[in-house]
Amino acid sequence: MEFLAWIEQTTVGLWVRESTWGFPIALTLHAIGMGFLAGINFAFALRVLGVAPGVSLRNLVRFSPLMWSSAALSVFSGLLLLAAYPAKSLTNPLFYLKIGLIISGLVLISNIAAAVTVHFESKNSVLHGREKLSAVALLLIWAAAITCGRFLAYTYSVLTVG
Ligand code: HEM
């Protein structure tokens, strides 16, 4: 708890929590990062499942740099939000579930993107059931991560600063 109290009093924690624009800026950046990150994952998973067959999967893989930049923005803005109210999230099991889901989602999209690239390099454009199953898991993982994020605001039990 002493460590959490120290985080709350850092310049960053104070700025996000007590300045006029700190929290709105951090939350807006979080929403933008999350939207692009989950959005690109959803588009990719739906394409693997057969939606919009006219859109080339190879072209969708080109969104990778934007997806990873959005992931970085989500992490950066998430850390800002965390600095403002560290005890609120770090004492909530849902926060750790959310982080686990995010890591699983990022690992899964990397694996599916690598598998799809191998398919195209070997000139075999037919995807296996395994990739489709992974795409369904990807949709569920990101939906669950977003739900956990939203529910953090309603499920906390420790709030050491007002
Ligand atoms: C390491 C990365 C991340 C950290 C440390 C983090 C941390 C946080 C924190 C502290 C909050 C505020 C919770 C509250 O209101 O008490 C939050 C909100 C939220 N996060 Fe994250 N987050 C991260 C990444 C993500 C990602 C990748 C997603 C989804 C793709 C996500 C989805 C959400 C949602 C939906 C909210 C609620 C926003 C709202 O109140 O409207 N987060 N996050």
Side-chain angles (χ1 to χ4, degrees), residues 5-77:
W6 174 79
I7 297 175
E8 281 169 2
Q9 297 309 321
T10 56
T11 312
V12 176
L14 286 169
W15 178 72
V16 177
R17 191 172 60 249
E18 293 181 8
S19 70
T20 309
W21 292 103
F23 202 84
I25 287 173
L27 201 54
T28 303
L29 291 178
H30 207 56
I32 293 171
M34 172 207 322
F36 275 102
L37 174 58
I40 292 170
N41 273 266
F42 266 82
F44 195 77
L46 289 173
R47 174 61 190 83
V48 169
L49 289 171
V51 176
V55 176
S56 138
L57 264 170
R58 197 197 296 256
N59 280 343
L60 274 186
V61 172
R62 290 197 198 151
F63 279 96
S64 195
L66 179 60
M67 192 204 81
W68 286 107
S69 311
S70 309
L73 183 61
S74 298
V75 173
F76 170 70
S77 53

Side-chain angles (χ1 to χ4, degrees), residues 1-9 17 83-89 91 156-162:
M1 282 318 256
E2 263 174 41
F3 177 60
L4 300 184
W6 174 79
I7 297 175
E8 281 169 2
Q9 297 309 321
R17 191 172 60 249
Y85 300 97
K88 188 182 177 197
S89 290
T91 56
Y156 66 90
S157 54
V158 180
L159 191 63
T160 49
V161 274

Side-chain angles (χ1 to χ4, degrees), residues 78-100:
L79 290 175
L80 289 181
L81 294 170
L82 200 58
Y85 300 97
K88 188 182 177 197
S89 290
L90 292 173
T91 56
N92 187 344
L94 209 60
F95 175 77
Y96 299 97
L97 177 60
K98 171 180 143 166
I99 298 298

